[in-house]
Structures are given as C-alpha cells and as structure tokens.
Amino acid sequence: MDTQNLGKSTDSLNRLSQVVEELIKVVHEQKQNFDSAIEAEKNNTSTAQTKVAVLEAQVQSLQAEKEQLKADLSAAQNNTESENKIKELQNLADSRSEKINGLQTEVQNLNTALTNRKAQLEEAEQKNQEWAQKYAELEQKLSEMQQTITQTTDDIDSVVARLEKVLEENGASNNNN
C-alpha cells in the first residue's frame, strides 16, 4: 500500500469516524426524542386511560341515574294512574254521596208522609171509633124507640081493645036501652 493511499485512507477513516459519531449522535438524539415521544405518549395514554376511567365512571353514574329516572318515571306513571284512579273513585264516591243524600231526603220525605198518613189513619180510626160509638148509641136509641113504639103500639092496642070493649058494653047497654 502506498503511503499516499494510506493518508487518504486515514482521512477517509477519520471522516468515516466523524460521520459514524455524528450518526451515533443523531441516532442517540433520535432515540432520546423517540423515548421522550414514547414517554409523552405513555403519559398521554395514561391521561387518556384516566379520562376513559373517569368517563366510564360518569357513564355508569349516568346509567344508574337513567335507571333511577326510569323507575321514578314508572312510579310517577303509576302515581298518575293511581291519582287518576283516585280521582275516578272520588268522583264515584261524590256521585254516590249525592245519590245517598238524595235518597236520604227522599226517605225523610217518605217518613214525613208516613207520619202524616199514620196521623190521618189514627184520626180516621178515632173518628171510626166515634162513629161506631155513635152508631151503637143510635142503635141503642133505635132499639129503645122500637121498644117504646112496640110498647106504645101495645098500649094503643090495649086502649083500643078496652075502648072496643067499653063500646061493646055501652053499645049493648044502649041497645038494651
């Protein structure tokens, strides 16, 4: 080998060494940059995972709230249905109460009419008893009058018979005279 080539080779080797060192430097810098980027990505990933965990917790909380709201809505619907049923039953109770009041008024009216009717019947019964008593008294008087008439008729017959007898006796004696 020639010295001249040896110098060139040494220069080339020096330049190659510098280039390799620069390349190592660049690779080392890129590795550091890459490590920093990876670390940043890890941090971003960790932050993202934390955010995901927080969001998942929020989703679970919201789902629990959604289920509670569903239950509350169902209960509210049941309450609404119950309130509607209660209103319907209250209306029915009010209607029946009005009917009962009407019937009570009618019963009171009927009781008043019945009381009046009883009073009329008692009055009629009393009058009937009075009439029965008057009838009995009249029958008694009639019987007495019939007896008086019969007695008077008998008395008249007796007087007539005596008169006839007297007349006969007088007539016989007048005829004799």
Side-chain angles (χ1 to χ4, degrees), residues 29-165:
E29 283 177 12
Q30 284 182 345
K31 184 181 180 282
Q32 281 180 344
N33 288 341
F34 187 69
D35 284 345
S36 293
I38 287 177
E39 193 60 38
E41 282 300 316
K42 282 183 182 177
N43 287 339
N44 286 343
T45 301
S46 176
T47 302
Q49 285 175 339
T50 302
K51 284 182 181 179
V52 164
V54 168
L55 290 174
E56 284 177 347
Q58 288 177 349
V59 164
Q60 287 178 349
S61 175
L62 289 173
Q63 284 179 337
E65 284 181 33
K66 176 184 166 188
E67 292 302 316
Q68 183 62 42
L69 286 173
K70 275 185 180 179
D72 290 347
L73 177 62
S74 177
Q77 286 173 338
N78 287 340
N79 284 343
T80 301
E81 290 172 8
S82 294
E83 286 175 8
N84 289 340
K85 188 66 175 177
I86 288 170
K87 285 179 185 175
E88 181 181 316
L89 290 173
Q90 185 62 45
N91 289 339
L92 184 60
D94 290 345
S95 171
R96 295 231 169 116
S97 179
E98 288 175 15
K99 284 183 181 178
I100 288 170
N101 289 339
L103 290 173
Q104 285 175 334
T105 302
E106 193 172 331
V107 165
Q108 287 174 346
N109 292 340
L110 289 173
N111 279 335
T112 302
L114 183 60
T115 301
N116 292 340
R117 197 53 94 182
K118 282 181 181 177
Q120 290 172 349
L121 286 174
E122 287 173 3
E123 186 179 325
E125 183 66 29
Q126 186 177 1
K127 283 183 180 180
N128 192 24
Q129 286 176 1
E130 289 173 6
W131 283 109
Q133 186 178 355
K134 284 183 181 181
Y135 179 76
E137 289 172 2
L138 288 174
E139 275 193 337
Q140 178 70 27
K141 284 183 181 180
L142 180 64
S143 176
E144 289 172 3
M145 289 175 84
Q146 283 177 343
Q147 284 178 354
T148 302
I149 291 171
T150 303
Q151 184 64 41
T152 303
T153 305
D154 288 347
D155 288 348
I156 290 173
D157 284 346
S158 173
V159 167
V160 168
R162 276 191 257 154
L163 281 174
E164 285 177 346
K165 190 177 181 184

